[in-house]
Amino acid sequence: MIETKKSQLEEQIIGVLSANQVCSFGTIDGNKPKVRYMALFHDGLTIYLATNKKTDKVEELQENPHVHILVGYDGKATPNILQIQATAKISSDNALREKLWNDEMKEWFDGPHDPNYVVMDISPSYIEYSSKDSEPQIWTK
C-alpha cells in the first residue's frame, strides 16, 4: 500500500514538473540564500537546469551543493506547488547537454558543445507537494 501511495505521489510530482517550464532556484552564497528564476528540465524526478559555467551559481554549488527549488508559481495562482530540497552537481556530459539543448539557448551559448554551457544535475531528497485540493504530501528519497 505504501509503495502504491509513493508511486502515485511521484506521478503527481512529475506532472507538476512537466507542467512548468520555469522554477525558482535557490543556492547559498556565503551564509545567505540567493534565488533566481531558471528554465526547468527534468527526467522523472531528476531535475536539470542549464547555465553558464562562469556564473555565481556554479561557484556557490562548489562551496555548498544544497539547493532549494520552488515549482508551480509563475505570477498567477496554480493548483499545485512543489518545494524541493536537493543536492546539485555540475555536469558537462555531452549527451546530457545535447538532450537539453534548444534554440532559445542560442542567446547565451554558441551551441550544445559550447565549453561554457553546463548542466546542473539536481537530485531531490525531499519534496513537498501542495495541492489546493488536499493536505501537503511529503516525498523523501
Side-chain angles (χ1 to χ4, degrees):
M1 182 76 164
I2 301 237
E3 283 303 312
T4 303
K5 201 170 190 182
K6 187 170 184 176
S7 176
Q8 289 172 341
L9 178 56
E10 287 176 357
E11 287 178 23
Q12 292 172 306
I13 291 168
I14 290 168
V16 176
L17 291 170
S18 296
N20 290 274
Q21 296 179 349
V22 175
C23 67
S24 295
F25 176 67
T27 58
I28 302 297
D29 182 10
N31 63 355
K32 297 184 182 198
K34 190 171 181 182
V35 180
R36 70 282 276 164
Y37 292 110
M38 301 281 303
L40 174 68
F41 305 93
H42 75 97
D43 183 3
L45 295 178
T46 301
I47 296 168
Y48 301 108
L49 306 175
T51 193
N52 188 308
K53 75 177 184 180
K54 296 179 180 178
T55 62
D56 292 342
K57 295 179 286 293
V58 172
E59 281 184 38
E60 291 155 8
L61 292 177
Q62 290 169 345
E63 295 293 319
N64 185 339
H66 299 282
V67 299
H68 191 92
I69 297 173
L70 174 63
V71 180
Y73 184 75
D74 62 1
K76 57 186 184 285
T78 58
N80 305 305
I81 302 219
L82 303 176
Q83 294 273 351
I84 302 169
Q85 294 174 15
T87 54
K89 63 182 180 184
I90 302 301
S91 173
S92 55
D93 176 81
N94 283 330
L96 182 57
R97 295 186 323 160
E98 289 173 9
K99 178 180 175 181
L100 299 182
W101 179 260
N102 64 59
D103 285 343
E104 291 177 13
M105 294 180 185
K106 287 181 180 176
E107 184 175 338
W108 299 282
F109 305 106
D110 293 333
H113 300 287
D114 184 323
N116 290 319
Y117 167 48
V118 295
V119 175
M120 292 181 284
D121 183 341
I122 299 168
S123 179
S125 56
Y126 173 96
I127 302 174
E128 179 179 308
Y129 169 84
S130 299
S131 174
K132 69 176 185 172
D133 300 327
S134 65
E135 291 292 316
Q137 299 177 60
I138 305 300
W139 175 93
T140 56
K141 191 170 190 175

